[in-house]
Amino acid sequence: MTPGQLLIALYDKAITELNKAVIFIEEKNIPGAHNSIIRVCDIVDALDASLKEKYEISNNLAALYQYFREQLITANVKKNPEILKSLIPLFQDLRDAFDEASKKV
């Protein structure tokens, strides 16, 4: 798996887990929601750890990943599906951008 494919796979998994967490919250499955949100947090940590300081966009992505962490923690504490729903398009946009960039490399 290339680095680009790995990034896309991580975003895909994060999106899947976000969707699962929303469903779990709506079904009142609190442990399931918690576990899915924690998985997304772990993915965000992995994405953040993969950033290379030599690229200008890395600082912007690091700030975005920090925002994701804060929102995920709030969503987990409050079990608020709306916060999670608001993150899904952001993850999707990043996933699509990295997919497009990997095709050009």
Side-chain angles (χ1 to χ4, degrees):
M1 193 177 265
T2 68
Q5 290 170 326
L6 180 57
L7 280 175
I8 293 162
L10 287 170
Y11 280 112
D12 285 342
K13 183 64 175 171
I15 293 164
T16 298
E17 291 298 330
L18 286 167
N19 282 307
K20 285 170 53 177
V22 168
I23 293 167
F24 286 141
I25 291 170
E26 290 171 349
E27 293 176 347
K28 308 288 189 234
N29 180 345
I30 302 309
H34 173 79
N35 291 336
S36 285
I37 293 169
I38 293 301
R39 283 188 197 105
V40 178
C41 287
D42 291 343
I43 291 167
V44 170
D45 288 344
L47 290 167
D48 193 32
S50 75
L51 293 175
K52 307 282 190 262
E53 289 184 24
K54 64 182 178 180
Y55 298 114
E56 185 177 327
I57 194 169
S58 293
N59 289 333
N60 294 336
L61 285 171
L64 187 58
Y65 294 154
Q66 182 58 35
Y67 170 77
F68 287 165
R69 282 188 200 93
E70 292 166 5
Q71 292 300 298
L72 290 164
I73 290 166
T74 301
N76 203 7
V77 169
K78 295 182 177 184
K79 297 300 184 263
N80 184 332
E82 297 309 313
I83 294 172
L84 300 174
K85 288 177 186 177
S86 74
L87 294 177
I88 293 170
L90 300 174
F91 276 84
Q92 188 65 52
D93 288 347
L94 286 168
R95 183 242 180 254
D96 293 346
F98 279 109
D99 185 39
E100 199 60 37
S102 71
K103 290 177 183 173
K104 294 179 180 178
V105 173

